[in-house]
């Protein structure tokens, strides 16, 4: 009986190793609420957020967020999250509107902002006549 339990445990361990050894398609982007260093607005639906370790994330909003480029201050909100929680779709970007309170802009995605993505965005901006960054 003991040998069959031991054998079952060894087989389970051997079978599960390949599942852990396979690399995932893309690492999960984890922008934590309490680790935001800076941000840059690309357009009314896109913000690049940099964390304390200067890793960049591209945040896409669910819809047009008016006055995002003219913000005095932005913030982020997720019910029940802590400073160590990762931002996820459905969380909100808040834009402080002078005299009217905060504008709520739901987040649709948060992905790692790679140097290739940054170059593509700069090229697209230059092609539209926005100049180089």
């Amino acid at each position: 009986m003991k040998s069959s339990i031991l054998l079952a445990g060894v087989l389970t361990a051997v079978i599960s190793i390949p599942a852990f050894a396979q690399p995932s398609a893309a690492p999960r982007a984890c922008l934590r609420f309490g680790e935001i260093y800076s941000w840059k607005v690309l357009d009314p639906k896109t913000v690049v957020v940099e964390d304390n370790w200067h890793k960049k994330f591209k945040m896409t909003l669910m819809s047009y967020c008016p006055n995002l480029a003219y913000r005095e201050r932005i913030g982020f909100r997720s019910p029940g999250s802590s400073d160590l929680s990762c931002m996820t779709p459905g969380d909100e970007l808040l834009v402080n509107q002078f005299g009217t309170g905060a504008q709520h802009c739901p987040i649709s995605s948060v992905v790692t902002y790679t140097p290739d993505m940054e170059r593509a965005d700069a090229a697209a901006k230059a092609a539209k006549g926005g100049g180089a960054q």
Side-chain angles (χ1 to χ4, degrees):
M1 179 70 174
K2 288 182 183 180
S3 63
S4 63
I5 292 174
L6 179 62
L7 181 60
V10 170
L11 284 174
T12 302
V14 170
I15 291 170
S16 64
I17 288 172
F20 289 114
Q22 295 175 357
S24 62
R28 182 172 173 249
C30 182
L31 173 59
R32 291 190 164 99
F33 282 92
E35 298 177 352
I36 295 172
Y37 178 75
S38 67
W39 64 88
K40 180 172 104 178
V41 176
L42 296 183
D43 60 49
K45 282 188 69 176
T46 314
V47 179
V48 174
V49 182
E50 186 175 347
D51 69 10
N52 291 338
W53 291 271
H54 305 292
K55 185 174 179 184
K56 294 180 180 179
F57 300 87
K58 189 172 189 176
M59 182 179 293
T60 305
L61 305 175
M62 287 186 186
S63 61
Y64 178 82
C65 191
N67 301 321
L68 184 58
Y70 306 107
R71 85 276 180 230
E72 289 291 318
R73 182 175 174 192
I74 67 171
F76 302 94
R77 184 177 81 115
S78 177
S81 68
S82 72
D83 282 354
L84 297 178
S85 298
C86 297
M87 289 188 195
T88 58
D91 292 340
E92 294 180 322
L93 182 145
L94 305 173
V95 180
N96 188 21
Q97 301 288 336
F98 182 72
T100 61
Q103 173 184 346
H104 299 253
C105 303
I107 298 168
S108 66
S109 70
V110 179
V111 297
T112 301
Y113 192 52
T114 64
D116 289 338
M117 293 168 72
E118 192 168 2
R119 282 190 291 277
D121 287 342
K125 183 176 180 180
K128 286 174 51 175
Q133 290 183 357

